[in-house]
Amino acid sequence: DAAADHDWITVTDGSSGRDNGLVTYSVDANPSPDLRTGTITVSDGAGIASIFTVHQGAVATYLAIE
Protein backbone atom coordinates (compact mmCIF):
# COMPACT_ATOMS: atom_id res chain seq x y z
CA ASP A 1 0.00 0.00 0.00
CA ALA A 2 1.14 3.55 -0.68
CA ALA A 3 -0.22 6.74 0.83
CA ALA A 4 0.77 10.40 0.86
CA ASP A 5 0.60 12.60 3.93
CA HIS A 6 -0.56 15.79 2.16
CA ASP A 7 -3.43 16.40 -0.25
CA TRP A 8 -1.11 18.10 -2.78
CA ILE A 9 0.58 14.71 -3.35
CA THR A 10 -1.54 12.12 -5.17
CA VAL A 11 -0.55 8.47 -5.52
CA THR A 12 -1.73 7.84 -9.08
CA ASP A 13 -0.87 4.15 -9.39
CA GLY A 14 0.27 1.42 -7.05
CA SER A 15 -1.67 2.60 -4.03
CA SER A 16 -2.57 -0.99 -3.18
CA GLY A 17 -1.17 -4.41 -3.87
CA ARG A 18 1.44 -6.88 -2.73
CA ASP A 19 4.95 -7.93 -3.67
CA ASN A 20 7.18 -5.87 -5.95
CA GLY A 21 5.60 -3.08 -7.91
CA LEU A 22 5.73 0.46 -9.12
CA VAL A 23 4.30 3.46 -7.30
CA THR A 24 3.66 6.60 -9.32
CA TYR A 25 2.58 9.96 -7.98
CA SER A 26 1.85 13.50 -9.04
CA VAL A 27 2.01 16.80 -7.19
CA ASP A 28 -0.13 19.91 -7.48
CA ALA A 29 1.58 23.17 -8.35
CA ASN A 30 3.03 24.93 -5.33
CA PRO A 31 1.38 28.35 -5.04
CA SER A 32 3.53 29.32 -2.07
CA PRO A 33 6.80 31.25 -2.09
CA ASP A 34 8.12 28.60 0.31
CA LEU A 35 9.57 25.13 -0.25
CA ARG A 36 7.19 22.40 0.88
CA THR A 37 7.87 18.85 1.95
CA GLY A 38 5.68 15.77 2.20
CA THR A 39 6.08 12.02 2.35
CA ILE A 40 4.81 8.90 0.64
CA THR A 41 4.75 5.81 2.82
CA VAL A 42 4.89 2.42 1.11
CA SER A 43 3.92 -0.46 3.37
CA ASP A 44 4.12 -4.19 2.77
CA GLY A 45 1.05 -4.87 4.91
CA ALA A 46 3.11 -6.74 7.50
CA GLY A 47 4.33 -3.70 9.39
CA ILE A 48 7.39 -2.88 7.31
CA ALA A 49 7.29 0.49 5.57
CA SER A 50 9.53 2.64 3.42
CA ILE A 51 9.13 6.40 3.58
CA PHE A 52 9.99 8.59 0.60
CA THR A 53 10.34 12.33 0.98
CA VAL A 54 8.97 14.70 -1.66
CA HIS A 55 10.44 18.22 -1.78
CA GLN A 56 8.77 20.77 -4.01
CA GLY A 57 10.33 24.11 -4.78
CA ALA A 58 8.60 27.41 -4.33
CA VAL A 59 6.77 29.29 -7.03
CA ALA A 60 9.05 31.61 -8.94
CA THR A 61 8.68 35.21 -7.89
CA TYR A 62 9.73 38.23 -9.85
CA LEU A 63 10.31 41.78 -8.76
CA ALA A 64 10.16 44.43 -11.43
CA ILE A 65 11.58 47.83 -10.60
CA GLU A 66 10.76 50.59 -13.02
Side-chain angles (χ1 to χ4, degrees):
D1 295 339
D5 68 341
H6 289 284
D7 61 359
W8 54 268
I9 305 171
T10 303
V11 176
T12 57
D13 193 23
S15 61
S16 64
R18 299 190 67 129
D19 297 319
N20 293 333
L22 177 69
V23 174
T24 58
Y25 68 96
S26 65
V27 294
D28 295 341
N30 184 357
S32 171
D34 301 316
L35 172 79
R36 63 183 178 180
T37 302
T39 62
I40 298 172
T41 302
V42 180
S43 173
D44 70 354
I48 297 175
S50 295
I51 299 173
F52 300 90
T53 303
V54 178
H55 298 286
Q56 187 181 35
V59 67
T61 57
Y62 299 92
L63 175 62
I65 300 174
E66 296 181 23

